[in-house]
Amino acid sequence: MIVVRPFQYDESDYQVMAEVYSALGPDAPLSAVEWRIRDELHNPQLPLYRFVGELDGKAVGYAEYYQPTWCADPCHLTIQLCVHPAYHRRGLGNALWNQLQHAWQPLQPYHIWLNVREDWHTGLTFAGHRQFYESRRVWSSRLDLASFNPEPFHGAIERVTVQGIDIISLARLAETGEHFWQQLYEFERQTTRDLPTSFPITIPTYEQWRKFYQPEHGILWEGSFAALHDGDIVDISTLETVDNDSDAEVGFTAVRRDYRGRGIALALKLATIAYGKATGISGIRTDNDSTNLPMWHINQRLGFQRGPTWIVMHRHEQNEEVT
């Protein structure tokens, strides 16, 4: 028997999400702690609706829709629908999909976004049958720090600092007080709109934004760096880790437009790598968008190895009554 019920936001249901997602992508699992932190970082003023699917009393799937914290347009919703691979083709995915459609009707969205891994063949077929079409691609990549060779990049940081640009950790900058965080917020207000994305983008309120830089949410202040010129932030590259993972992830990387092409992004990447090696981190993971090839070329030079590819899929919602 199929049952679709509301998500309980307790340890048990977060564990369901972790087990289902990790069964689909064992090479890039997400823990229950990581799912909970993602919810803590979601803007509570924006929609988030999630439910769990059960087969014969066992929770083996989940689905959700939400308006991303960085999305400026309520006509855009992102969805996720996952069923444990051992329970595919038994009707649960369709039941979850029908519940999603009913649930989002009051919001009257026009654009529905869904990420499906290239090797999730059942998921791609499922999405195609529901009028989702490919928009762009995002691939994961990883740098193994044990095998990283710094020799080809000798002098790269010095070529930046000789321009009068200082590279300083967020831990040191945070010691200067609230002024630094206000300055960083303004920097991100300028640069966030340059990021590749599926929807009109905006930065959240200062209070909501500050949550992303709290250590309990994974940010590594000592391993995250900003580049400053005459006291102004011109570049940033952050590292995050959650649940004592042996790898770290790149959080936010951005360069002010008038400072691009000067080697600053590479220098900050090298600073994060040096931190990772010094602190025993095994590897650094990141995502690269097919519309941002310059950043991918930097990562390739550093030795990042390409991993799973995500297909960003789009459905235009007609907002007809679902029966």
Side-chain angles (χ1 to χ4, degrees):
M1 182 174 70
I2 294 176
V3 174
V4 177
R5 61 169 175 80
F7 186 82
Q8 297 301 313
Y9 294 93
D10 58 16
E11 185 61 30
S12 176
D13 275 2
Y14 280 119
Q15 191 60 40
V16 169
M17 293 184 74
E19 291 174 0
V20 171
Y21 185 88
S22 299
L24 288 164
D27 54 343
L30 289 176
S31 70
V33 172
E34 289 173 290
W35 284 114
R36 178 180 54 77
I37 288 176
R38 288 184 176 212
D39 280 355
E40 291 175 358
L41 293 174
H42 181 74
N43 186 344
Q45 304 301 316
L46 300 180
L48 169 61
Y49 183 82
R50 182 184 299 140
F51 39 91
V52 172
E54 298 181 351
L55 268 174
D56 299 327
K58 183 176 177 61
V60 294
Y62 67 90
E64 65 179 1
Y65 72 70
Y66 59 93
Q67 181 182 335
T69 292
W70 304 88
C71 179
D73 187 347
C75 290
H76 293 257
L77 290 179
T78 295
I79 72 168
Q80 187 176 76
L81 193 160
C82 293
V83 176
H84 194 290
Y87 296 89
H88 283 178
R89 303 186 186 279
R90 294 177 60 179
L92 182 57
N94 193 55
L96 291 169
W97 169 254
N98 289 338
Q99 182 66 22
L100 269 179
Q101 283 192 294
H102 280 287
W104 75 48
Q105 285 303 304
L107 300 177
Q108 296 288 290
Y110 287 100
H111 304 281
I112 309 297
W113 298 94
L114 170 68
N115 294 347
V116 183
R117 261 179 58 157
E118 187 179 42
D119 55 352
W120 290 358
H121 304 298
T122 300
L124 289 172
T125 300
F126 184 94
H129 287 165
R130 288 157 182 82
Q131 292 78 53
F132 281 90
Y133 299 96
E134 180 174 339
S135 173
R136 67 185 204 282
R137 298 194 172 208
V138 177
W139 54 87
S140 303
S141 60
R142 181 181 184 274
L143 176 66
D144 179 64
L145 293 187
S147 60
F148 173 72
N149 178 16
E151 286 305 314
F153 308 101
H154 180 73
I157 292 179
E158 290 74 14
R159 284 192 289 273
V160 169
T161 57
V162 77
Q163 302 175 49
I165 296 172
D166 298 315
I167 297 175
I168 307 174
S169 73
L170 263 60
R172 282 184 53 200
L173 291 168
E175 294 174 356
T176 64
E178 191 64 23
H179 170 72
F180 162 69
W181 296 112
Q182 292 283 356
Q183 186 183 19
L184 181 58
Y185 181 68
E186 290 304 316
F187 168 80
E188 290 199 17
R189 283 172 60 90
Q190 297 175 31
T191 56
T192 295
R193 294 179 178 84
D194 293 335
L195 298 178
T197 183
S198 303
F199 41 75
I201 198 166
T202 188
I203 195 168
T205 65
Y206 178 77
E207 292 73 18
Q208 179 68 29
W209 170 84
R210 278 287 274 122
K211 293 181 181 179
F212 290 87
Y213 285 95
Q214 297 304 317
E216 62 265 27
H217 292 147
I219 183 75
L220 297 170
W221 284 9
E222 293 284 356
S224 302
F225 296 86
L228 281 76
H229 189 213
D230 294 332
D232 294 328
I233 299 173
V234 298
D235 192 353
I236 187 171
S237 186
T238 67
L239 281 185
E240 304 170 353
T241 187
V242 177
D243 209 15
N244 297 317
D245 197 341
S246 60
D247 278 3
E249 293 189 16
V250 175
F252 182 65
T253 299
V255 187
R256 225 172 71 180
R257 289 185 180 182
D258 52 335
Y259 280 82
R260 292 174 185 170
R262 297 169 64 171
I264 307 173
L266 175 62
L268 261 63
K269 290 274 189 180
L270 291 169
T272 63
I273 291 169
Y275 167 84
K277 288 181 71 70
T279 56
I281 291 173
S282 298
I284 296 176
R285 298 192 301 263
T286 190
D287 291 330
N288 294 101
D289 196 287
S290 59
T291 62
N292 188 13
L293 293 181
M295 185 56 70
W296 170 236
H297 292 154
I298 291 176
N299 289 335
Q300 278 187 306
R301 286 178 59 195
L302 290 167
F304 279 82
Q305 298 298 306
R306 185 165 171 167
T309 296
W310 292 85
I311 302 176
V312 181
M313 307 190 77
H314 174 247
R315 167 187 161 106
H316 182 72
E317 184 69 9
Q318 298 299 324
N319 291 314
E320 69 273 13
E321 188 69 25
V322 178
T323 59

